[in-house]
């Protein structure tokens, strides 16, 4: 029996189903230690700029504990958002054989790493950072040395994709200590709801007053600068596609600007933030899903996973962490240079040259995403644990 303590910031809709899956493994005994209760209580999301509470179960099917957080301003948006002085003692009381950390760049986690006796109980790390955008200069050199020191504390590291693998080797992690544990969503939830989602999407399309004979390009997420929804809006206008509508689903700081720029264009629509139970329908309304993010912040882009589960063609910028792994050019979608609006417009035009091809792209998305599931994620964790025993 592998007794594993898992430390993560708060209940996350992508991780909770994986923890349930891990709890069902006969050779695993897990306990998840949460540093904050966001997601299960009504709280303001900094990106969506509104109060939210996820409407799918995030705490059922596995053992967990909330570690008291003394931060006056709790959250993932700053270093001091997690101050959990009892973290070491509560994890020690579980008496784990190994500890899996899902993050590190917070006060509590640094305190845990430096205080934990890794000779007795090894640490495993799983993250999704990348260095798709190279950095130079003395500050980058110093940052690289420090991050390399942090990773030297881990006996095994799980990487979620190609860009993430390169990030770890850049910071000195030996390939022999790296194990593939892909980023995944609850594929089975999306697969099982796909037919019903299609029926709901037809009705929703009518409610939104999108013409029935129009194809739909979807942006779903936070309306914030790093996601670059304005790039997509401008590219859509530039592409001048007949019988194609653009749908923005979500909320955020750029909403007023998006609506202002869209007001003279009849084929651009908006829908409010959709909770987790409505996400299958959200993707089902689309023929193409676009993630045009710019910068180093889109470490993976799980919206692409979800869209692919609903057999949707996808387009993403080359700054999106998953682009190298999930988007096979001209097979299930396209990748464009981040920030290049003309290139994105060309991709939109190319995608809608042939609707049958677009449908085939969606079918291929479904095939590709089957290899990015909790099954593969668990295999990676098991390989890492077996490596620790050697």
């Amino acid at each position: 029996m592998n007794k594993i303590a898992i430390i993560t910031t708060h209940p996350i809709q992508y991780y909770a189903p994986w923890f349930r899956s891990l709890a069902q493994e006969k050779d695993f005994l897990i306990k998840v230690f949460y540093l904050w209760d966001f997601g299960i209580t009504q709280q303001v999301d900094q990106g969506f700029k509104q109060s939210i509470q996820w409407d799918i179960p995030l705490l059922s099917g596995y053992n967990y504990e909330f570690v008291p957080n003394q931060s006056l301003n709790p959250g993932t948006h700053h270093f001091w958002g997690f101050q959990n002085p009892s973290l070491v003692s509560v994890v020690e009381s579980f008496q784990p054989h190994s500890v899996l950390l899902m993050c590190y760049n917070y006060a509590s986690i640094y305190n845990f790493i430096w205080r934990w006796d890794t000779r007795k109980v090894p640490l495993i790390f799983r993250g999704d950072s990348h260095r798709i955008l190279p950095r130079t200069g003395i500050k980058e050199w110093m940052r690289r040395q420090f991050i390399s020191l942090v990773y030297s504390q881990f006996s095994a590291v799980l990487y979620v994709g190609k860009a993430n693998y390169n990030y770890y080797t850049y910071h000195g992690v030996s390939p022999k200590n790296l194990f593939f544990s892909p980023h995944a969503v609850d594929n089975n939830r999306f697969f099982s709801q796909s037919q019903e989602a299609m029926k709901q999407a037809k009705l929703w399309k009518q409610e939104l007053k999108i013409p029935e004979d129009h194809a739909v390009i979807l942006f779903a997420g936070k309306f914030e600068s790093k996601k670059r929804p304005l790039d997509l809006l401008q590219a859509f206008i530039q592409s001048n596609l007949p019988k194609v509508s653009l749908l923005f689903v979500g909320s955020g700081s750029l909403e007023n600007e998006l609506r202002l720029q869209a007001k003279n264009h009849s084929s651009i629509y908006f829908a409010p933030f959709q909770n987790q139970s409505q996400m299958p329908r959200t993707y089902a309304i689309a023929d193409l899903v676009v993630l045009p993010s710019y910068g180093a912040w889109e470490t993976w882009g799980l919206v692409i996973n979800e869209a692919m589960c609903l057999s949707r063609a996808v387009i993403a910028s080359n700054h999106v962490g998953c682009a190298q792994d999930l988007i096979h050019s001209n097979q299930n979608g396209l990748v464009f240079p981040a920030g290049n609006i003309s290139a994105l417009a060309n991709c939109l035009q190319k995608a809608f040259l042939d609707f049958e091809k677009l449908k085939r792209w969606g079918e291929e998305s479904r095939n590709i995403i089957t290899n990015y599931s909790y099954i593969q994620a668990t295999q990676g964790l098991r390989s890492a644990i077996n490596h620790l025993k050697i």
Side-chain angles (χ1 to χ4, degrees), residues 363-378:
E363 292 168 352
E364 183 59 20
S365 281
R366 171 74 178 254
N367 294 333
I368 293 169
I369 206 62
T370 57
N371 293 316
Y372 289 78
S373 73
Y374 297 139
I375 294 173
Q376 285 83 14
T378 300

Side-chain angles (χ1 to χ4, degrees), residues 63-343:
N63 191 14
Y64 66 90
E65 180 176 344
F66 284 98
V67 183
N69 184 8
Q70 297 180 1
S71 174
L72 297 177
N73 182 19
T76 58
H77 57 291
H78 69 120
F79 178 79
W80 299 104
F82 301 102
Q83 297 181 55
N84 312 76
S86 63
L87 180 59
V88 171
S89 61
V90 297
V91 174
E92 284 179 337
S93 67
F94 180 58
Q95 298 182 325
H97 300 138
S98 60
V99 180
L100 170 63
L101 278 79
M102 309 288 281
C103 58
Y104 76 83
N105 202 24
Y106 300 103
S108 275
I109 304 297
Y110 280 121
N111 179 64
F112 179 89
I113 292 172
W114 304 135
R115 289 179 57 194
W116 191 256
D117 189 347
T118 57
R119 295 168 299 178
K120 293 181 179 179
V121 180
L123 300 179
I124 304 170
F125 184 74
R126 185 177 188 262
D128 57 9
S129 297
H130 60 64
R131 277 289 181 273
I132 291 174
L133 289 177
R135 299 175 181 176
T136 58
I138 185 64
K139 287 186 178 180
E140 169 56 19
W141 181 86
M142 294 173 64
R143 183 185 292 108
R144 183 178 183 180
Q145 303 311 306
F146 177 73
I147 295 175
S148 297
L149 176 63
V150 172
Y151 287 136
S152 71
Q153 305 303 305
F154 295 95
S155 300
V157 175
L158 308 179
Y159 68 95
V160 299
K162 295 174 183 176
N164 186 221
Y165 178 94
N166 293 335
Y167 174 85
Y168 290 131
T169 56
Y170 174 80
H171 289 102
V173 180
S174 170
K176 69 181 179 63
N177 293 332
L178 284 166
F179 303 89
F180 182 48
S181 179
H183 246 327
V185 299
D186 191 353
N187 288 4
N188 290 335
R189 178 170 78 91
F190 285 92
F191 292 163
S192 64
Q193 295 180 22
S194 59
Q195 289 188 349
E196 178 60 27
M198 293 298 293
K199 295 176 184 176
Q200 293 176 6
K202 288 183 179 180
L203 296 175
W204 193 36
K205 193 173 183 180
Q206 294 173 7
E207 292 172 13
L208 293 172
K209 296 182 169 52
I210 299 174
E212 186 178 353
D213 62 344
H214 274 213
V216 175
I217 299 169
L218 172 70
F219 175 97
K222 298 172 181 178
F223 301 163
E224 55 188 358
S225 57
K226 66 184 181 182
K227 299 282 188 179
R228 299 296 270 254
L230 287 166
D231 284 9
L232 176 57
L233 187 149
Q234 292 163 17
F236 175 74
I237 294 171
Q238 193 177 119
S239 64
N240 194 29
L241 298 167
K243 292 190 175 182
V244 179
S245 291
L246 172 60
L247 173 62
F248 288 101
V249 176
S251 60
S253 59
L254 293 178
E255 183 166 358
N256 289 339
E257 180 63 24
L258 281 166
R259 289 183 178 274
L260 181 65
Q261 292 195 24
K263 69 177 183 178
N264 294 324
H265 301 277
S266 60
S267 294
I268 301 177
Y269 298 82
F270 291 85
F273 164 82
Q274 303 291 298
N275 214 316
Q276 289 301 298
S277 64
Q278 294 297 331
M279 290 313 294
R281 180 191 73 168
T282 301
Y283 297 112
I285 202 173
D287 297 272
L288 174 69
V289 175
V290 182
L291 185 57
S293 303
Y294 187 98
W297 302 278
E298 197 71 76
T299 52
W300 182 259
L302 286 162
V303 65
I304 297 296
N305 292 63
E306 293 179 335
M308 291 172 64
C309 285
L310 265 293
S311 302
R312 294 298 170 251
V314 287
I315 290 177
S317 82
N318 62 348
H319 289 184
V320 174
C322 72
Q324 299 177 47
D325 304 86
L326 297 185
I327 302 181
H328 301 182
S329 185
N330 291 304
Q331 295 181 41
N332 73 313
L334 296 165
V335 177
F336 71 97
N340 190 328
I341 294 171
S342 293

Side-chain angles (χ1 to χ4, degrees), residues 26-45:
K26 293 181 180 180
D27 57 336
F28 285 166
L29 178 62
I30 72 161
K31 185 173 183 178
V32 180
F33 295 88
Y34 287 119
L35 309 185
W36 185 34
D37 63 355
F38 180 86
I40 59 165
T41 59
Q42 196 82 20
Q43 297 188 48
V44 173
D45 183 281

Side-chain angles (χ1 to χ4, degrees), residues 349-367:
Q349 291 171 337
K350 187 174 183 179
F352 286 98
L353 278 175
D354 182 346
F355 280 88
E356 285 302 314
K357 180 187 69 177
L358 196 62
K359 185 177 179 181
R360 291 196 298 271
W361 282 9
E363 292 168 352
E364 183 59 20
S365 281
R366 171 74 178 254
N367 294 333

